[in-house]
Amino acid sequence: MPITLLCRLCPVLLFLLALGAPAPSYAGGDPPAASSSVTKTEKTGKAEQPQTAEPTEPPENPQQPEQPIQLERDEEQKPPPISLTPLRATYSAAMDKGVTINGSATRLLEPQPDGTWILRFDVESFLADIDESLRFRWEDNQVIPLSYRYKLSGFMIGSRERTIDYDWENQTVSGNFEGESFSMALVPGALDPMGYQLQLRQDLKAGKTQMEYQVTDDGDFDRDEFAVIGRETLDTELGQVSTVKVEKVRAPRKKRSTVMWFAPELDYLLVRLVQIESNGSRYEINIEDANIQQN
């Protein structure tokens, strides 16, 4: 789903990045104890002979409630697996800022022989080209980024490169952006600028409606929040598509807005994105073609 945070870069780069672009109680009871002798005293004061209850034999197969209860807890804590599906999708894009700029982008998601995955994003336009890639693992419904690469080059635009490498064994992340290096400790669930886009799509598949991600951003982590705000049917190059509408959560006074449409019938593929900047500039991408390997 070709989305990258447009709010962080210049308008032209923003447009290009947009092309790339949520203790059970113990119920078994204690085993019955053997009855003890009881003496009843009547009002007359005469005592009855003690009555001894017959000993209760223990059940042949005493229940062990702790084990099944623990299994139930484990099942509740571990959600069902959500599989990744290889895909290839192409998008058209337009930026309206007094002058209309058009371009196209291709998104690829492919498994690798070593069990990792590669997510690629390639942009071609008369103004610039972008090569962006992520190598990652998919474990327990979570994107585990390993290495992220980004390169921008084009006419009248200075070249830019960015690298991020994740060392999960030592819990550190390091990288380089335009010659400036950084290194810092990882936070739980840390994602890269591409991985969070894929994680958003997978979380929607899992039925989530509120999503929050910690995205690596040149020596710090940005907290990006998203929320499902409704459903809508769109007319696309693929025909009429029912979609889930998602909005990036921003501060109430922020004039910038980002809205995305994902198609459940297309494995929650991103089919449209619209971003409006605080100065009124509008960026929009729309699906043109998609090839998804259904499970």
Side-chain angles (χ1 to χ4, degrees):
M1 61 198 76
I3 320 165
T4 303
L5 287 179
L6 304 175
C7 59
R8 301 176 189 163
L9 303 174
C10 65
V12 173
L13 181 54
L14 290 174
F15 158 67
L16 294 170
L17 291 176
L19 292 171
S25 60
Y26 175 76
D30 296 327
S35 302
S36 60
S37 299
V38 179
T39 302
K40 295 184 180 179
T41 304
E42 299 180 352
K43 293 182 179 179
T44 59
K46 297 180 179 179
E48 295 181 351
Q49 292 296 327
Q51 298 179 355
T52 303
E54 295 182 359
T56 303
E57 296 182 0
E60 295 181 359
N61 297 313
Q63 294 182 348
Q64 302 292 333
E66 286 80 0
Q67 185 172 354
I69 289 178
Q70 184 62 46
L71 290 175
E72 289 176 5
R73 288 178 183 169
D74 293 342
E75 291 174 358
E76 291 174 359
Q77 292 178 356
K78 189 174 182 179
I82 304 295
S83 62
L84 286 181
T85 51
L87 70 86
R88 177 187 178 93
T90 58
Y91 297 84
S92 63
M95 179 181 70
D96 182 8
K97 190 180 178 183
V99 177
T100 301
I101 300 176
N102 296 316
S104 63
T106 301
R107 176 61 56 100
L108 292 171
L109 177 61
E110 299 176 323
Q112 302 301 299
D114 63 357
T116 63
W117 287 75
I118 294 292
L119 180 62
R120 291 194 57 85
F121 167 49
D122 298 312
V123 174
E124 293 182 358
S125 72
F126 77 94
L127 189 62
D129 293 336
I130 292 178
D131 296 314
E132 192 175 20
S133 66
L134 167 68
R135 186 171 66 89
F136 67 97
R137 298 196 308 266
W138 178 246
E139 297 179 356
D140 297 328
N141 299 343
Q142 179 71 33
V143 172
I144 310 296
L146 300 175
S147 61
Y148 168 82
R149 299 291 183 266
Y150 172 91
K151 183 177 181 180
L152 167 68
S153 59
F155 178 67
M156 297 179 60
I157 293 181
S159 297
R160 296 183 182 182
E161 293 189 23
R162 185 181 188 186
T163 66
I164 305 176
D165 293 293
Y166 294 82
D167 185 346
W168 292 99
E169 181 177 356
N170 296 307
Q171 289 294 298
T172 60
V173 56
S174 59
N176 187 287
F177 180 63
E178 295 185 351
E180 296 290 333
S181 299
F182 70 89
S183 180
M184 59 184 177
L186 281 168
V187 298
L191 292 168
D192 66 283
M194 286 188 82
Y196 89 88
Q197 304 165 23
L198 178 59
Q199 189 66 55
L200 172 60
R201 176 187 170 207
Q202 296 300 110
D203 286 344
L204 289 171
K205 290 169 65 174
K208 295 184 180 181
T209 58
Q210 300 283 338
M211 287 73 67
E212 180 179 318
Y213 308 114
Q214 298 290 334
V215 182
T216 309
D217 184 26
D218 305 330
D220 202 355
F221 293 100
D222 288 342
R223 188 182 71 173
D224 293 341
E225 299 180 63
F226 300 87
V228 174
I229 59 174
R231 293 180 177 272
E232 190 173 339
T233 300
L234 300 181
D235 289 321
T236 73
E237 291 294 325
L238 305 179
Q240 276 201 341
V241 178
S242 297
T243 67
V244 174
K245 193 174 181 181
V246 179
E247 183 177 42
K248 189 178 189 301
V249 178
R250 303 182 187 273
R253 295 184 179 180
K254 291 286 185 179
K255 295 182 180 180
R256 180 182 292 132
S257 67
T258 304
V259 182
M260 295 158 283
W261 289 258
F262 296 85
E265 63 191 75
L266 298 176
D267 202 37
Y268 283 86
L269 180 69
L270 175 73
V271 294
R272 188 186 185 205
L273 178 146
V274 174
Q275 176 158 309
I276 300 177
E277 297 295 324
S278 55
N279 62 3
S281 299
R282 179 185 176 93
Y283 306 86
E284 182 173 346
I285 67 171
N286 291 280
I287 190 70
E288 282 194 335
D289 191 23
N291 184 358
I292 305 171
Q293 292 186 19
Q294 299 289 351
N295 292 333

